Amino acid sequence: MWRVTVAACVVGAFAQEPNPPKWDESTVKVFSPGNDAAIQQTVNDIFAINGGHDPANHGQFSPYRFAFLFKPGTYAVDVPVGFYTQVMGMGMLPSDVKFTGVKGVFCEEGDYNYAGGALDTFWRSAENFATSATYKWIGADGGMMWAVSQASPIRRVEVNDNLFLYEYEPPYQLAGYSSGGFMANIQVNGTVEPGSQQQFFARNCDVQQWTGGVWNIVLTGVKGAPPSHCSNAGSIPIVNVPKVPVSSDKPWITIDTAGKYSLVIPGVQTGTAGADWSLGSGGKTVGFEHVYVATNVSDTAASINAKLAAGLHVVLSPGVYNLTDSLAVSKSGQVLLGLGVATLISGTGKPVITVADSAQSVRIAGVLMQAGPYNTTSLLQWGSPKRGRTQRNASATADPTTAGFIHDVYARVGGPDGIPGHPVTADTTVHIYSDNVIGDNLWLWRADHTVAGEVSKEQNPSRNGMVVDGDDVTMYGLAIEHHLQDQLVWNGENGKTFFFQCELPYDVTTAFGTSGYVGYRVNDDVKNHFGYGVGVYTNFVSAPVIVDRGIAVPDALVKNFESPLTVFLNGQGGINHVINSFGEASHNSSQMVHYWCGNQPPPPPPSPPSPPPPSP
């Protein structure tokens, strides 16, 4: 292994940070091979805090956060992954950290009752290891279990057998419902079995076979993927995009034989397919002498910002951070990386993260942004309002090497709060003003349930999930749910979305429909935009709301959408059309799922079981 200094971050002119870093040992567990019994006890103890099935979905709104960092070596342990828990192998390659336990690293559905299943199995991750798990989860087939919904990615994993994305738990007669999901840079030497997954997204993977899926499976740059098929009638509902236009891995942490830590910042790649575990062109490793490790125990927004202003990368230890100011990322090439789903709460009505207009090649990764009691215009603000619409160029091409990336970043308005006596609010959860930004697994959630039960729009209002004003913005694996107006508003040129999962708000009146709100909106004057597997679902519980269309785009862009769909999940009302005036109605009085297959497939993007009930 090697370590280099990133010149663009202006590191080296300031006092060095300790390497090895001083981890908060109560939240960061660093494991070495050769002590399997103690490791097993530790992971079991933490799972008892943030996981398990008594009650179902135990730990869903827990205040505790954990990261398990495994040094290179072999581990004969089984690691159950609960809420707010991250498993990371600290090798340069997945094969540097090997799990040989019969279950290995795994995640079961949070509710064994099939009606709950994995629908609330959120906020966790597994990254950068190899597993030879052989446990027979379903029938005679063995392999790795990862039965999850949103905000629960797996990345850089080598699965030597099958990969199960759902769970069947006897004596229940049906597989547990599930609403995933995201995987990237995975090699599966057996079969990927989505089973009851309503939808799922995969990027840059190698699979021997992919079987199943309910409504919307988008596979981008996946070798071994089935061919595209619009609708779930007669075959699997697949959108197969052969190449990934622009991508990069999420940063991760390594350790060398001398015990020194490094932050790995992968390079940017274009036109790729299949798993690739190299650093890539322009990839770097940075010694922790140039990385500040923050904790929620001793750090404030001011102390973290001082390190960012000095040009250091910042790793946020697992924890809940109540911020009185925005974390301001202003240097090109900087990384802000959260461990253990580090949670950032807006305490004064300011965004929890801002990225400067001038900062290129920034990485924001691994954080959960949470609205607070004071309204904020957005939780993540990338860039600032700076130009008029007339300056945009639909034919311009961005430089992928300077793209900013958002990896595994989530937002929530309500959940642990947003209840009577403790309201929370945000206008928008993510606002992207800058050009050339790439999202890589985002879930922007206005809560539909809280610690107190159901929600009301007075307790956790949020207008939009995301607004995109920048050009050349791409989203891989985007989920937005339950906001009170348009879920997504896209004003920039050359936008691309590969997989979109959306539920409209449950708790609105018929005015939501008569106001013309939609799940996915592209501004009327946009000339260039592409969408692959864009799905909008309804479960109107408070009123018989009728939405005219799930997706609203300029008429000339309808042809650029592959396999868009609408789904009536439950409740009242529904959607009249899939996209603009095309596609049949998905109502409580009609077929529940409809696709628009009239223009299949669209032009390539420019650049190198029984239907489940509503998911949260």
Side-chain angles (χ1 to χ4, degrees), residues 193-427:
E193 298 190 18
S196 61
Q197 283 286 354
Q198 297 174 359
Q199 63 279 316
F200 215 90
F201 175 79
R203 173 182 68 71
N204 289 105
C205 297
D206 286 284
V207 304
Q208 294 300 308
Q209 187 177 13
W210 185 291
T211 63
V214 178
W215 294 322
N216 186 28
I217 304 296
V218 180
L219 308 176
T220 304
V222 176
K223 293 182 178 180
S228 290
H229 176 79
C230 183
S231 93
N232 60 352
S235 188
I236 306 169
I238 294 285
V239 176
N240 183 336
V241 181
K243 300 283 188 179
V244 181
V246 181
S247 64
S248 183
D249 258 2
K250 174 186 175 184
W252 76 96
I253 296 169
T254 61
I255 188 171
D256 65 16
T257 54
K260 299 295 186 180
Y261 286 73
S262 293
L263 178 67
V264 182
I265 309 173
V268 178
Q269 303 189 66
T270 60
T272 57
D276 182 354
W277 297 324
S278 68
L279 267 179
S281 177
K284 302 175 176 67
T285 64
V286 180
F288 262 58
E289 294 85 358
H290 307 296
V291 178
Y292 180 66
V293 176
T295 75
N296 68 325
V297 176
S298 58
D299 277 294
T300 63
S303 65
I304 296 171
N305 278 333
K307 300 296 184 177
L308 289 168
L312 296 175
H313 305 288
V314 170
V315 169
L316 299 170
S317 298
V320 178
Y321 295 74
N322 288 281
L323 300 177
T324 57
D325 201 356
S326 307
L327 300 185
V329 180
S330 60
K331 309 292 186 182
S332 290
Q334 269 185 315
V335 173
L336 178 65
L337 173 64
L339 298 182
V341 198
T343 303
L344 310 178
I345 300 176
S346 174
T348 58
K350 296 181 179 180
V352 296
I353 300 172
T354 61
V355 180
D357 291 313
S358 58
Q360 297 181 330
S361 304
V362 164
R363 307 292 180 97
I364 307 297
V367 295
L368 169 58
M369 307 178 299
Q370 186 170 312
Y374 301 100
N375 187 56
T376 178
T377 55
S378 63
L379 294 173
L380 168 60
Q381 179 180 312
W382 198 301
S384 58
K386 60 185 182 300
R387 60 182 185 173
R389 294 279 300 153
T390 57
Q391 294 177 267
R392 300 183 187 278
N393 186 351
S395 63
T397 301
D399 178 1
T401 63
T402 62
F405 282 85
I406 309 171
H407 305 280
D408 300 346
V409 170
Y410 321 118
R412 68 184 179 196
V413 183
D417 43 27
I419 59 178
H422 298 281
V424 294
T425 178
D427 287 343

Side-chain angles (χ1 to χ4, degrees), residues 119-134:
L119 291 178
D120 289 348
T121 307
F122 311 139
W123 302 308
R124 64 200 74 200
S125 67
E127 307 170 43
N128 200 39
F129 58 83
T131 177
S132 57
T134 57

